[in-house]
Amino acid sequence: MSLSAYSELHVLIVDDFNSFRQTLSKIIRELGFNHIDSVKSGEEALKVFKRNHYDLVFCDYNLGSGKNGQQVLEELRESRRIRPEDVFILLSAETSRNVVMSAYDCEPDAYLTKPISTKTIEQRLKRLLNKRKELLDIYNHLGKKDKSSSIRLLEKKLVEKSHYSMDCQKLLTQLYIETQKFDEAETICRTTLEVRSLDWAQVGLARIQLARGNTAKAIEWLKDTIRVKPSCMKAYDVLAQAYQVLGDDEQLQIIFQQAVEVSPMSLPRQLSLAKVAMKNGDAGIAANAYRKVLRYGSNTPYFNIRNQINFTKAVIRFYAQDAAKANDLVGEVTNILSKVNDRDEVMPEIKVMAKIYSGQILSLQKQYKNSRDLLDPILHSLEKQENISADIEIELVNYHIFNKQLDRANLKSQELVKKYSDNESVLEKIDCLMYEPVSKRGKKTLQKENKKGINFYKEKNNLSAIDCFSKLEKKYPSFTTVKLNLVQALLGHIKDVGKDQACIERCTSILTLLKSQIKNNDTNFERCQKLQGMLSAFIVKKGENNV
């Protein structure tokens, strides 16, 4: 692309340092660019994009207290203010691994590390703008969502042996997969991999296998890709899709945990991790993931009341599981809840939910009177309403549980089961309140995972049995059978290894809770008594050994 052609392009420089804006503006003006604007913040960049179109953007990653460069790029893409042919170059003086991974993850056209020489800028622009010129027709068709014309032009470029054949192959593979031309896509990927091991080709093959229904094969390839190159983030994303197809929430959580360990500032993955961890009952993982969503996404649409409320819910569940570990987070969510009522944009239902969560926290802190004083007016008000959401009704039951009003909680739970008997998604939420599952999924999961744990126990593999039952208990904290099986596996472990104070304390805690819940006529009463006797015998034996 000739220097004279540069003069027609419009350029935007985004950097919070005036001196750098001036220096870069001088460099690119000397290269032949005439239409150059500059702004000092991400917010200003988004404003000028509403008025003007820019062919080339230089944007610093760290723009001070507002949006960063990655967030600017993502918002421009989301609003479709940046077109396929536009060039976005991300600049940064940051060298931390998290920032670098985050920058690469959002896939700008180029990522340049400051300080940047004139020669580096000139060479990079020459390649990027030459590529833009040669593929402009293709980009125009993509902008119009004309995939068939884009495919035809890309195929022609490959026949002509374009200097940008590799870029054409990558883009063509994507379009072939989107249009279900899997054989053609596979041919490109395999041909590419014979010459060079490229991430997009490896992941492309896995996507093809997944689309064809060969989920196991796709998982195998993706795991191999991640093992060889742990920084290939697309592989984690497609692997997550594969586990979603299988309905394997446990593996799905593991993959998202691995992904955010590599790229912690990825908001979509942190949010996905938070949701699946919450679904799995792993409230500690969920709470920390939601916390990072809010922390890293403070200048993005991710910083919203829904994610703040879900963060609060996760922290409360975590606090119920382990008060010591969750204690520091309680202060953060209490601060969030204290401000909800003052926010005009917040829906009334969310304000009610915030009050319920405040009451739950007080109950867990054993401030039962304060909790009742706060929520009794809410309860009286809700009793007069006809259309109360299932989520509010479920959280009210949790409030009664945390407030030690177990009979009332049981009664309300049974009422919810009848009310939503034909709503499977709500029944799945109600499962966490019940002593036995009421949803089809809950029953299936309990049967499958409980059987797995029992088999481990029969094989004398007590540690695996404990792990299996512990995961089930997190997911379904009220299931009596799971708790009893967990105690039995823990006692088996104590019998094998001798004194284990942590296991003894865990058994004591579970059985103490169950004794307050199980009635004399309950089918599990006798088993609970028997396990209590076994535990007492271990404690006595431990005491004798210590004499």
Side-chain angles (χ1 to χ4, degrees):
M1 191 172 186
S2 64
L3 293 181
S4 60
Y6 288 177
S7 64
E8 302 172 8
L9 301 179
H10 291 255
V11 184
L12 178 66
I13 298 171
V14 190
D15 196 286
D16 53 335
F17 285 98
N18 184 52
S19 58
F20 183 81
R21 295 198 302 273
Q22 291 178 342
T23 300
L24 184 55
S25 181
K26 182 175 181 292
I27 291 172
I28 62 175
R29 194 174 295 279
E30 290 174 353
L31 292 175
F33 295 91
N34 291 331
H35 307 288
I36 305 170
D37 291 333
S38 66
V39 294
K40 63 182 180 181
S41 71
E43 286 74 16
E44 288 182 59
L46 294 169
K47 284 181 182 178
V48 297
F49 250 98
K50 291 179 180 179
R51 300 192 302 267
N52 308 311
H53 169 257
Y54 294 96
D55 305 283
L56 171 63
V57 181
F58 290 92
C59 187
D60 190 28
Y61 181 88
N62 191 341
L63 295 170
S65 59
K67 294 180 184 292
N68 63 37
Q70 176 182 339
Q71 292 163 354
V72 171
L73 174 56
E74 290 172 344
E75 195 157 330
L76 287 173
R77 284 174 175 164
E78 182 69 24
S79 63
R80 299 186 182 278
R81 296 190 183 280
I82 194 166
R83 302 185 302 208
E85 68 268 25
D86 298 333
V87 175
F88 192 102
I89 299 175
L90 202 55
L91 313 170
S92 181
E94 298 275 358
T95 56
S96 75
R97 183 174 179 274
N98 288 354
V99 170
V100 172
M101 278 303 307
S102 182
Y104 275 114
D105 202 12
C106 72
E107 295 186 314
D109 293 284
Y111 177 79
L112 301 179
T113 306
K114 294 179 178 179
I116 308 163
S117 67
T118 301
K119 184 178 179 181
T120 297
I121 293 172
E122 184 177 3
Q123 289 176 339
R124 190 60 65 95
L125 282 179
K126 182 178 180 181
R127 186 187 188 285
L128 289 170
L129 294 176
N130 281 343
K131 171 187 165 185
R132 179 184 188 271
K133 180 182 178 182
E134 181 159 336
L135 304 183
L136 189 57
D137 284 348
I138 297 165
Y139 290 142
N140 285 336
H141 284 293
L142 285 174
K144 298 173 185 176
K145 298 185 178 180
D146 185 355
K147 294 181 182 179
S148 59
S149 296
S150 300
I151 289 172
R152 177 176 51 78
L153 290 170
L154 284 165
E155 290 172 338
K156 184 180 178 183
K157 289 290 182 187
L158 292 178
V159 171
E160 295 171 349
K161 298 189 184 301
S162 166
H163 183 65
Y164 301 97
S165 291
M166 193 63 70
D167 298 286
C168 292
Q169 287 174 329
K170 179 180 178 181
L171 187 51
L172 186 54
T173 298
Q174 172 71 23
L175 291 172
Y176 276 151
I177 292 174
E178 289 177 4
T179 54
Q180 298 187 350
K181 296 182 178 181
F182 301 130
D183 291 342
E184 292 89 336
E186 184 173 357
T187 298
I188 292 178
C189 290
R190 291 193 181 279
T191 303
T192 300
L193 291 171
E194 287 175 3
V195 179
R196 189 177 171 191
S197 179
L198 294 174
D199 294 351
W200 65 263
Q202 294 275 12
V203 175
L205 283 177
R207 289 182 63 200
I208 293 163
Q209 292 298 328
L210 187 59
R212 286 171 169 165
N214 299 328
T215 308
K217 188 67 176 176
I219 289 173
E220 181 185 339
W221 283 355
L222 290 164
K223 284 184 174 180
D224 286 342
T225 301
I226 291 170
R227 185 165 51 251
V228 173
K229 190 174 182 181
S231 61
C232 179
M233 303 313 300
K234 292 295 183 186
Y236 295 95
D237 295 337
V238 180
L239 187 52
Q241 292 172 21
Y243 284 123
Q244 284 174 325
V245 169
L246 295 177
D248 192 336
D249 290 336
E250 184 179 335
Q251 285 299 318
L252 184 60
Q253 179 179 329
I254 290 170
I255 291 305
F256 281 130
Q257 283 180 255
Q258 292 174 353
V260 299
E261 189 173 332
V262 177
S263 184
M265 299 172 74
S266 169
L267 301 180
R269 296 189 192 97
Q270 288 284 7
L271 185 58
S272 295
L273 171 59
K275 289 178 178 178
V276 73
M278 200 64 184
K279 193 175 179 182
N280 289 339
D282 209 335
I285 297 293
N288 282 299
Y290 273 123
R291 187 171 187 249
K292 288 175 181 175
V293 169
L294 297 173
R295 175 186 169 193
Y296 296 137
S298 58
N299 297 297
T300 74
Y302 285 92
F303 193 83
N304 58 51
I305 188 63
R306 178 61 61 188
N307 284 337
Q308 289 175 318
I309 287 294
N310 285 335
F311 171 47
T312 300
K313 179 179 178 179
V315 170
I316 291 171
R317 297 296 181 275
F318 186 27
Y319 191 68
Q321 292 173 1
D322 194 326
K325 290 182 179 178
N327 193 53
D328 290 343
L329 296 175
V330 171
E332 292 184 34
V333 299
T334 300
N335 185 49
I336 290 172
L337 294 172
S338 69
K339 298 175 181 177
V340 169
N341 272 331
D342 299 329
R343 294 169 62 175
D344 294 335
E345 79 278 10
V346 176
M347 295 172 60
E349 180 177 320
I350 291 181
K351 290 186 177 183
V352 170
M353 190 70 85
K355 287 280 189 184
I356 295 171
Y357 285 149
S358 296
Q360 288 181 1
I361 291 172
L362 290 171
S363 295
L364 288 169
Q365 292 174 333
K366 295 183 170 51
Q367 299 181 48
Y368 301 121
K369 184 180 183 303
N370 291 340
S371 177
R372 288 193 294 272
D373 289 344
L374 175 67
L375 284 190
D376 278 353
I378 300 289
L379 291 171
H380 292 314
S381 174
L382 291 173
E383 285 174 359
K384 301 174 185 177
Q385 297 181 26
E386 293 183 2
N387 299 316
I388 305 172
S389 73
D391 287 337
I392 284 181
E393 291 182 298
I394 289 169
E395 291 308 325
L396 284 173
V397 175
N398 275 315
Y399 158 69
H400 292 312
I401 292 172
F402 298 153
N403 213 35
K404 305 300 182 185
Q405 298 170 316
L406 298 182
D407 288 341
R408 190 170 185 182
N410 291 337
L411 178 62
K412 292 293 183 182
S413 297
Q414 295 298 334
E415 289 176 359
L416 290 181
V417 173
K418 292 178 182 178
K419 182 176 179 179
Y420 296 102
S421 59
D422 59 347
N423 190 325
E424 186 65 17
S425 63
V426 175
L427 289 177
E428 287 181 19
K429 295 179 181 180
I430 295 173
D431 275 339
C432 68
L433 308 173
M434 308 302 293
Y435 296 147
E436 298 294 339
V438 291
S439 73
K440 293 177 182 177
R441 183 184 178 114
K443 291 173 181 177
K444 185 177 179 181
T445 301
L446 177 62
Q447 183 180 23
K448 178 184 175 182
E449 296 303 316
N450 209 30
K451 184 178 180 181
K452 186 192 298 184
I454 290 170
N455 286 336
F456 282 135
Y457 179 77
K458 288 179 178 178
E459 294 166 0
K460 306 295 184 183
N461 189 349
N462 290 309
L463 289 177
S464 294
I466 291 169
D467 182 62
C468 188
F469 293 132
S470 294
K471 288 175 181 176
L472 260 182
E473 188 199 24
K474 278 186 176 181
K475 193 166 187 175
Y476 304 114
S478 298
F479 284 10
T480 304
T481 302
V482 172
K483 290 183 179 294
L484 290 171
N485 287 347
L486 175 56
V487 170
Q488 192 157 340
L490 287 165
L491 291 174
H493 177 65
I494 296 170
K495 183 179 180 181
D496 287 344
V497 301
K499 59 182 181 180
D500 188 321
Q501 187 59 31
C503 285
I504 288 174
E505 289 176 0
R506 193 173 180 190
C507 287
T508 302
S509 175
I510 294 171
L511 290 172
T512 300
L513 175 65
L514 288 177
K515 280 192 290 185
S516 68
Q517 296 175 346
I518 297 176
K519 308 298 182 183
N520 289 358
N521 59 349
D522 193 300
T523 54
N524 288 306
F525 178 78
E526 188 176 333
R527 186 182 177 199
C528 185
Q529 292 288 93
K530 183 177 179 181
L531 291 173
Q532 180 64 63
M534 292 170 63
L535 176 62
S536 299
F538 280 126
I539 293 173
V540 170
K541 186 175 180 180
K542 178 177 181 290
E544 291 173 351
N545 291 337
N546 289 336
V547 175

